[in-house]
Amino acid sequence: MLYFEWYEAFHLPCPAIFGDTCRKVDMTMASPFGPQDAALAVVLVWAAIMGLLYRRDAVGPASLVALHAIAGDLARVRDYATLVDLVESHLDLIDRAADRRLSRQRHYDWWARRRLAPPPDFRIPFDLDVATEASVELGWRTKLDNGWATVCSWGRRTSGVPGLLLPSGRMIEQSARGLRSLFLSDVGLRRYLVSERPAFGARLMTCPGYEAGDFAFRFLSDLAADTESSLYREIERTGGWDHWRPRVLDGNYPVLGILLHDARVANDLSAYRPLAEHFISRLRADNDRAYVASINLRPDRLWDEVGKHHDPGFAIPVFFDLMVTAAAFQNVRSHMWLMYADHFVDAILRVHDETGPGIDPDAEWPTRGSEILYHIVSALVAWIQLIEGLPDGNWHLTIEFDRIDGDGRIPKSAIVSLARVTQAILLAPNVGQRFKSYVVEIVTRCVKTLPDSGDRAAFRETLVRALSGEAAISRESDFVTAAWSAYQSIDYMLRAGTPDFEAALKAAVRPPRIVMPFAPAVESAIKSITTDL
């Protein structure tokens, strides 16, 4: 029946196959598009329009001027929560407008370059054969060149004229830069971000310019000063780094994710500097006497389960471990200033004290400071052992064997730093002999795990040379003597696996100077001379 209605509605001849059936169709439907169909079409069109409006961002480039004014008012009344909620989803738009990367800005700048570009140094635009060139006088050739340069200059200027009709976007650019400056310079906003919105603060660190670099230093310093901040919680959740395969930090790590997802960001921001300097400043008794006293306490179960995860002495070396390992796996050509380990150890040893009540000098870690020293030494060892996990062709796998100093590569720099740290601990008068032997055992195990043949055997040879006093470190003879004494106290089976290390230490130990006794007459003469002097 529907076929018949359709044919009748459009006044088409009914096919002969249907016979007289077409004439029996109800002719009440004169048109297929009635009032109900029209209403449905209006609703569908309206829904489509509303959908497009909903998908379109309410804040566009033209809205940045008003957004700048509103943000300034919110900052003045310190309503930072509303301010962050208002602008957080528009940071990309603000960055593109501030850097003149919007479509309208790029088009205007392209035409402006066409207007301002100097005319090309163009000679005669066609080649003349020898006969023709010989017949052209020099004066005529000069006129032709000058005329062509004039035409090119006029064409260059004229081709940029249509760009004058485009909007330049200068006001949008100024508003975007004003918003960015507001975010990076407001002290109250920075402190709010540290405690409440660290992800927004971490995103601001990646803004270009010196102002963002200053903000990043202060933001990371504030995070390090607040032991309940997101930085400490993220470091605790990582549980340290897996030194055998790369690890991806997702959105659950707003600060570490920004810094370490691409370790070049941490390197460009010098993220290690504010954290390291904060830890070193805490280790000065005139700055923080309470903290200095706390690291000389005996470690207990509460410290192991809760306390150390909120201690800069534990968290910041773990951050360095995460950062250096990420840089090695991502083939970032920088040592990431892992040599801060030297400064950490020196600062701890200046205030180290194992004479407090309840301290056991023969314990594995007599004090909390001893445990921090252990983790620093272990991190250096892990950075050297990265040579076993890095793929072939990695920049950090090359080494200058003839020089015992840092060359920018992580394993080589860690070797030099480990030798200096070991020296500082072995020569420290306030560190017990048991812990010194423990440190020598750690570095000996590191030597044993490194390959003694193949392309990467040079790392083992360099480490042996550095630990046997060949590195550019002071008081080499005293260090080698202390290292040899501690080496003889460790497990025999471990020593059997490092004959090269043992031979190097034995050869470096200087025999004691023998004082020959003088005859009585010579002794009296020497005494009389010294008395006269």
Side-chain angles (χ1 to χ4, degrees):
M1 183 67 70
L2 293 177
Y3 295 105
F4 310 145
E5 293 177 1
W6 187 81
Y7 278 106
E8 291 291 338
F10 287 91
H11 306 286
L12 297 176
C14 186
I17 59 173
F18 295 126
D20 295 337
T21 310
C22 294
R23 287 186 286 273
K24 299 178 181 179
V25 177
D26 186 4
M27 300 299 295
T28 57
M29 294 184 60
S31 174
F33 195 77
Q36 294 180 349
D37 297 327
L40 178 60
V42 171
V43 171
L44 292 177
V45 171
W46 180 254
I49 294 175
M50 293 302 295
L52 292 176
L53 293 176
Y54 178 78
R55 290 180 58 86
R56 184 175 179 272
D57 196 350
V59 177
S63 306
L64 292 178
V65 178
L67 186 63
H68 182 205
I70 296 174
D73 294 337
L74 293 174
R76 278 190 291 272
V77 298
R78 300 181 181 275
D79 190 358
Y80 298 123
T82 304
L83 172 60
V84 173
D85 290 337
L86 178 65
V87 302
E88 186 171 19
S89 60
H90 310 299
L91 283 179
D92 290 337
L93 173 62
I94 295 172
D95 287 343
R96 288 188 289 113
D99 301 334
R100 296 197 63 79
R101 288 186 283 116
L102 295 177
S103 177
R104 68 182 68 179
Q105 294 171 328
R106 289 188 290 107
H107 292 163
Y108 180 86
D109 293 342
W110 185 85
W111 286 105
R113 287 193 297 269
R114 299 282 297 178
R115 293 193 303 272
L116 301 177
D121 185 13
F122 200 89
R123 312 306 294 174
I124 296 178
F126 50 86
D127 295 330
L128 301 175
D129 54 21
V130 177
T132 307
E133 186 174 0
S135 63
V136 177
E137 298 180 358
L138 181 62
W140 173 249
R141 188 185 183 94
T142 303
K143 292 179 181 178
L144 183 61
D145 284 345
N146 293 338
W148 179 254
T150 302
V151 171
C152 291
S153 177
W154 175 83
R156 177 74 63 170
R157 292 193 303 269
T158 306
S159 64
V161 171
L164 296 174
L165 303 177
L166 298 175
S168 64
R170 297 297 179 187
M171 185 175 297
I172 295 174
E173 177 187 357
Q174 293 174 2
S175 299
R177 292 188 175 186
L179 282 167
R180 181 188 288 175
S181 179
L182 172 65
F183 304 151
L184 298 177
S185 60
D186 193 290
V187 178
L189 175 60
R190 188 184 74 241
R191 292 174 179 171
Y192 170 79
L193 297 178
V194 169
S195 59
E196 302 296 336
R197 306 292 287 273
F200 186 84
R203 170 64 177 77
L204 293 179
M205 292 192 299
T206 61
C207 294
Y210 71 92
E211 198 172 16
D214 183 67
F215 171 84
F217 182 89
R218 297 177 184 276
F219 181 69
L220 290 173
S221 298
D222 292 344
L223 286 173
D226 183 4
T227 58
E228 299 296 332
S229 67
S230 174
L231 177 65
Y232 287 86
R233 295 194 300 270
E234 292 177 33
I235 292 175
E236 181 181 2
R237 285 201 305 270
T238 62
W241 197 279
D242 188 346
H243 296 95
W244 296 103
R245 59 178 181 270
R247 179 177 178 180
V248 178
L249 297 173
D250 54 18
N252 294 324
Y253 302 89
V255 178
L256 295 182
I258 289 288
L259 295 175
L260 305 183
H261 181 72
D262 184 353
R264 291 174 299 181
V265 175
N267 184 47
D268 295 340
L269 293 176
S270 300
Y272 36 78
R273 189 165 67 93
L275 302 181
E277 294 300 330
H278 171 78
F279 177 38
I280 294 174
S281 67
R282 294 286 298 273
L283 290 170
R284 293 180 53 184
D286 53 345
N287 281 346
D288 197 338
R289 191 177 302 275
Y291 180 73
V292 170
S294 69
I295 67 169
N296 288 323
L297 298 176
R298 176 176 57 87
D300 50 21
R301 181 174 298 178
L302 182 61
W303 155 260
D304 184 64
E305 296 179 356
V306 179
K308 67 182 182 182
H309 298 292
H310 300 275
D311 190 301
F314 181 84
I316 292 177
V318 173
F319 171 80
F320 267 76
D321 192 11
L322 295 167
M323 176 181 63
V324 171
T325 307
F329 276 109
Q330 297 174 17
N331 204 17
V332 177
R333 298 195 172 193
S334 172
H335 50 48
M336 308 302 290
W337 276 98
L338 61 85
M339 294 81 66
Y340 261 111
D342 307 3
H343 304 289
F344 292 162
V345 170
D346 291 340
I348 293 173
L349 293 178
R350 280 195 294 267
V351 297
H352 187 69
D353 185 10
E354 297 181 2
T355 63
I359 301 298
D360 182 9
D362 295 328
E364 181 182 18
W365 301 320
T367 65
R368 298 175 182 178
S370 302
E371 183 175 355
I372 296 173
L373 290 174
Y374 161 77
H375 286 293
I376 294 174
V377 173
S378 298
L380 289 168
V381 169
W383 300 337
I384 299 172
Q385 293 173 339
L386 283 174
I387 64 173
E388 294 297 315
L390 296 177
D392 293 336
N394 191 286
W395 182 75
H396 297 281
L397 291 179
T398 56
I399 186 171
E400 295 180 4
F401 177 64
D402 57 335
R403 297 177 56 190
I404 309 295
D405 59 357
D407 59 357
R409 293 167 172 84
I410 288 173
K412 175 69 177 296
S413 300
I415 287 174
V416 177
S417 187
L418 180 62
R420 293 175 178 173
V421 165
T422 304
Q423 177 202 13
I425 294 175
L426 293 182
L427 298 182
N430 52 349
V431 176
Q433 188 60 40
R434 172 68 181 84
F435 187 76
K436 292 180 179 180
S437 299
Y438 187 33
V439 171
V440 173
E441 180 180 348
I442 294 173
V443 299
T444 305
R445 291 185 184 277
C446 178
V447 174
K448 183 179 180 180
T449 58
L450 297 181
D452 57 0
S453 61
D455 297 338
R456 304 180 187 183
F459 288 96
R460 176 168 178 156
E461 298 177 34
T462 304
L463 178 59
V464 169
R465 291 170 57 193
L467 293 174
S468 58
E470 195 172 335
I473 50 183
S474 61
R475 301 172 65 186
E476 292 181 4
S477 60
D478 295 338
F479 163 57
V480 173
T481 302
W484 174 248
S485 176
Y487 179 80
Q488 291 179 307
S489 65
I490 65 177
D491 182 67
Y492 173 79
M493 296 301 296
L494 179 58
R495 292 166 52 190
T498 56
D500 50 347
F501 185 33
E502 182 171 345
L505 281 177
K506 187 181 297 185
V509 174
R510 299 177 182 177
R513 186 166 58 93
I514 300 176
V515 180
M516 301 297 294
F518 294 103
V522 177
E523 289 184 358
S524 62
I526 294 175
K527 185 179 296 184
S528 63
I529 293 174
T530 55
T531 302
D532 295 339
L533 292 176

